[in-house]
Amino acid sequence: MESMLNKLKSTVTKVTADVTSAVMGNPVTREFDVGKHIASGGNGLAWKIFHGTKKSTKQEVAVFVFDKKLIDKYQKYEKDQIIDSLKRGVQQLTRLRHPRLLTVQHPLEESRDCLAFCTEPVFASLANVLGSWDNLPSPLPADIKDHKLYDVETKYGLLQVSEGLSFLHSSVKMIHANLTTENIILNKSGAWKIMGFDFCNPSVNPTEQETKFLCKEWDPNLPPLCLPNPEYLAPEYILSVSCDPASDMYSLGIVVHAVYNKGKAIFEINKQDIYKSFSRQLDQLSHLSPNILVNIPEEVREHLKLLLNVTPAVRPDADQMTKIPFFDDDVGAVTLQYFDSLFQRDNLQKSQFFKGLPKVLPKLPKRVVVQRILPALTSEFVNPDMVPFVLPNVLLIAEECTKEEFTKLILPDLGPVFKQHEPVQILLIFLQKMDLLLTKTPADEIKNSVLPMVYRALEAPSIQIQELCLNIIPTFANLIDYPSMKNSLIPRIKTACLQTSSLAVRVNSLVCLGKILEYLDKWFVLDEILPFLHQIPSREPAVLMGILGIYKCTFTHKKLGITKEQLAGKCCHT
């Protein structure tokens, strides 16, 4: 496809020098370490995006770098125009703060070789994900090449962009004026964020009800980087030199089309004869061919037609777009939206939401759950009252994770929760999922964090917890290492049996011991278990049945191989 940016893009591919060397002289490197090249974004995908780390805090960031070699072929005055345009975009983004706009962590710095600034951690631009790979490293990163957007990610992403536009239009009284897939960035969590404010247009009368905007005439003599991407521009920009917030809504319509058509805009624009291109486009927009909408989900087709209407007043505004059924009726998109507004909710609202979440989680793709939902859940662990509602969901996610994913993504956040004594439900939840914890947790962490929790349950003042623990131990006894079993677990079961005032706990202790005898060795049973039975201070029928059950197990179990004579000797010995 002939693009207005071909001239620039051919240069991009020729610049083989590693930008990391260009950024080395930039003041940004005083505070940040610049790592590997991961993506590209911004107008013409001219910014290379690197993984970075703040030296003082080790905080992860993305470092955006514009290498001035890209514009070597231009005259000095053109270079100055390009640099000014890029600077304006970053400076404007730095001033604006909103969850739907890319967050700047360090403002723009200029050196002889490059411009650079730092943002929240980034995955890639939407353009990269949709197959525009200019200014990306070679070989292409596999995670970008193989990245497929799930339906819920696309829906919620478009909703986030609509919310970002609503903020710009209603609160800031500004038009973005270059909303494209290149200027939508997917952050590390998968959230869609707006950047690229190079051509943003503030209202000339922001305090008045009817906001007005000045519109510059298209100048074909400017370098491509000094012009917005015409494939996303509303027709009124070119044909009547006018614009308002509805012009951004047209651009959103083209973004919607691109997302469902492998990154392709609807119309190809001949930059040499832009007026003719847009006049032809106007005719096509007046009679939209069904072929154009064939890949668009049916629920959003009518809204897309309205966004692409030649009459700006007909297009829905950004706030209206956020409320369309396409977004509101999707349980995944609504769930992600609720997570983004968690900080506004009280504990009662949160607890109700978390109770219903186990029904929703299986319907969402694993990547979305791990990237978006898991961090929001684990951040609630600081609130003890919420842990009983959050923990079952975290453990449900853990079941779908590999051992490596569990160790890296979930276990570090569970560490402090293992040590929590209150509320008591936390311990109950962990006990019921003990097989999961013992299967996925590394051996040293089992010893240091998981088993101490079991020991605590055996020593708990609550009879209910002791009973539950004794009932559950046999289900995971095969996963416990023998030294821990022999030196820590069995002594505590014996103590619980001897010291309790509850008949149920005493009987359950004996039943538990009977069930785990098969994991013990013969001499340990002879020396530690059988003599202990004589120490039990009560002789109710249920206790006697428990004791007899253990005798029977020791005698009949092949692995233990205890003879009649040995057993008789221990039974008679008091």
Side-chain angles (χ1 to χ4, degrees):
M1 185 171 78
E2 265 296 307
S3 163
M4 62 161 281
L5 297 167
N6 273 356
K7 184 179 172 188
L8 169 80
K9 287 178 179 174
S10 62
T11 315
V12 169
T13 53
K14 284 174 195 155
V15 176
T16 51
D18 191 352
V19 172
T20 343
S21 58
V23 80
M24 279 314 139
N26 192 289
V28 128
T29 56
R30 289 182 202 142
E31 289 183 47
F32 296 88
D33 287 320
V34 182
K36 67 175 181 175
H37 180 192
I38 53 171
S40 61
N43 200 21
L45 297 177
W47 292 91
K48 285 192 174 183
I49 306 172
F50 292 81
H51 182 271
T53 314
K54 187 160 187 171
K55 291 177 180 178
S56 58
T57 61
K58 301 299 173 210
Q59 176 195 5
E60 195 181 343
V61 296
V63 184
F64 282 67
V65 178
F66 176 79
D67 189 350
K68 292 181 181 177
K69 281 198 190 80
L70 280 181
I71 53 173
D72 270 354
K73 63 183 173 186
Y74 290 106
Q75 301 293 322
K76 185 182 183 308
Y77 76 93
E78 290 178 309
K79 287 180 184 174
D80 291 344
Q81 285 175 311
I82 292 169
I83 295 296
D84 287 346
S85 178
L86 292 168
K87 278 183 176 176
R88 179 177 188 262
V90 181
Q91 285 158 355
Q92 191 62 62
L93 179 63
T94 307
R95 278 195 289 270
L96 293 167
R97 290 274 168 177
H98 189 267
R100 302 296 176 242
L101 308 185
L102 189 65
T103 306
V104 176
Q105 306 279 27
H106 186 90
L108 186 78
E109 301 275 15
E110 184 173 10
S111 61
R112 191 188 64 189
D113 296 323
C114 73
L115 301 176
F117 67 101
C118 299
T119 72
E120 61 186 290
V122 156
F123 170 63
S125 62
L126 180 57
N128 289 162
V129 169
L130 294 172
S132 294
W133 296 335
D134 299 292
N135 231 356
L136 283 182
S138 181
L140 198 65
D143 54 353
I144 289 182
K145 190 179 177 185
D146 303 332
H147 196 86
K148 296 283 178 284
L149 288 168
Y150 291 109
D151 196 36
V152 66
E153 291 178 296
T154 301
K155 278 187 184 177
Y156 190 51
L158 291 170
L159 173 59
Q160 288 175 307
V161 173
S162 303
E163 288 172 346
L165 288 178
S166 178
F167 164 70
L168 291 176
H169 298 166
S170 305
S171 302
V172 188
K173 313 287 186 196
M174 171 189 281
I175 303 172
H176 184 279
N178 194 27
L179 186 74
T180 69
T181 56
E182 297 168 342
N183 284 324
I184 295 169
I185 299 289
L186 277 63
N187 76 0
K188 200 184 172 200
S189 306
W192 292 21
K193 306 273 188 137
I194 299 172
M195 69 165 285
F197 284 81
D198 311 25
F199 311 106
C200 65
N201 191 346
S203 166
V204 291
N205 60 340
T207 54
E208 292 177 31
Q209 191 75 35
E210 279 292 312
T211 47
K212 291 190 174 68
F213 297 87
L214 294 175
C215 190
K216 284 183 185 170
E217 199 160 344
W218 184 269
D219 183 354
N221 298 315
L222 286 172
L225 279 180
C226 292
L227 291 165
N229 185 339
E231 292 176 355
Y232 287 79
L233 271 190
E236 61 268 19
Y237 271 107
I238 305 298
L239 300 176
S240 59
V241 194
S242 63
C243 58
D244 67 7
S247 309
D248 275 350
M249 300 314 293
Y250 175 91
S251 303
L252 177 64
I254 303 292
V255 168
V256 172
H257 178 274
V259 163
Y260 289 105
N261 288 275
K262 298 179 182 171
K264 289 187 175 66
I266 298 180
F267 304 107
E268 292 182 24
I269 304 295
N270 179 356
K271 184 162 78 80
Q272 287 356 94
D273 196 350
I274 199 150
Y275 300 100
K276 191 175 174 185
S277 275
F278 269 83
S279 301
R280 191 169 64 248
Q281 180 178 314
L282 207 59
D283 292 338
Q284 290 173 285
L285 285 170
S286 305
H287 312 92
L288 259 187
S289 157
N291 294 345
I292 286 174
L293 302 172
V294 73
N295 294 327
I296 307 296
E298 213 166 314
E299 319 94 282
V300 79
R301 273 183 204 170
E302 291 309 311
H303 298 99
L304 179 56
K305 284 182 191 172
L306 291 172
L307 289 172
L308 298 176
N309 198 289
V310 292
T311 310
V314 174
R315 299 171 199 151
D317 66 31
D319 191 51
Q320 288 167 330
M321 274 305 288
T322 63
K323 296 178 173 70
I324 65 172
F326 182 61
F327 301 133
D328 279 355
D329 293 351
D330 186 281
V331 67
V334 170
T335 301
L336 292 176
Q337 190 176 30
Y338 196 95
F339 268 108
D340 278 345
S341 64
L342 264 187
F343 63 93
Q344 300 168 355
R345 316 283 177 175
D346 61 31
N347 278 1
L348 182 62
Q349 290 171 315
K350 285 185 193 176
S351 63
Q352 293 299 328
F353 172 67
F354 292 137
K355 275 185 198 169
L357 195 57
K359 292 188 187 119
V360 180
L361 288 175
K363 297 175 186 172
L364 294 171
K366 180 178 170 181
R367 182 177 75 218
V368 175
V369 170
V370 169
Q371 271 191 346
R372 306 294 296 278
I373 292 177
L374 183 60
L377 289 172
T378 53
S379 68
E380 287 290 320
F381 282 159
V382 295
N383 182 351
D385 294 336
M386 278 297 102
V387 175
F389 302 101
V390 173
L391 188 56
N393 289 296
V394 172
L395 296 176
L396 190 62
I397 294 168
E399 285 177 14
E400 299 304 314
C401 289
T402 63
K403 198 167 178 175
E404 291 72 25
E405 288 167 336
F406 175 78
T407 306
K408 184 182 171 190
L409 302 171
I410 298 178
L411 190 58
D413 292 304
L414 287 181
V417 189
F418 286 144
K419 297 180 176 70
Q420 269 180 249
H421 291 251
E422 295 290 332
V424 72
Q425 294 97 312
I426 297 174
L427 197 49
L428 294 173
I429 293 163
F430 275 134
L431 286 173
Q432 284 157 346
K433 289 287 182 185
M434 197 50 68
D435 55 339
L436 167 81
L437 294 174
L438 292 171
T439 310
K440 305 230 169 177
T441 309
D444 56 337
E445 275 301 310
I446 288 176
K447 208 166 184 179
N448 297 333
S449 301
V450 179
L451 290 179
M453 199 167 49
V454 177
Y455 308 151
R456 205 167 70 238
L458 285 172
E459 294 163 348
S462 159
I463 288 171
Q464 181 199 7
I465 287 183
Q466 283 187 313
E467 278 194 76
L468 178 71
C469 186
L470 290 164
N471 286 330
I472 288 175
I473 285 170
T475 65
F476 60 77
N478 61 317
L479 300 170
I480 299 175
D481 67 289
Y482 192 59
S484 297
M485 173 83 84
K486 195 168 72 170
N487 303 322
S488 300
L489 185 64
I490 300 289
R492 284 175 170 84
I493 295 173
K494 287 160 67 177
T495 302
C497 183
L498 294 173
Q499 294 185 355
T500 185
S501 56
S502 159
L503 178 62
V505 170
R506 184 161 288 155
V507 172
N508 277 309
S509 300
L510 293 167
V511 172
C512 178
L513 282 173
K515 286 180 177 174
I516 61 177
L517 281 179
E518 61 178 302
Y519 306 114
L520 306 176
D521 66 55
K522 172 181 174 178
W523 301 111
F524 184 78
V525 172
L526 285 171
D527 295 341
E528 297 293 334
I529 303 295
L530 298 180
F532 143 78
L533 298 175
H534 299 289
Q535 300 166 19
I536 296 170
S538 67
R539 286 288 185 270
E540 294 89 349
V543 173
L544 291 173
M545 290 296 289
I547 292 172
L548 286 171
I550 290 176
Y551 283 145
K552 186 182 175 188
C553 284
T554 55
F555 180 53
T556 57
H557 202 285
K558 291 185 179 67
K559 182 193 160 197
L560 292 172
I562 294 174
T563 63
K564 282 183 286 189
E565 292 73 27
Q566 286 173 315
L567 189 57
K570 289 292 176 183
C571 290
C572 298
H573 177 72
T574 54

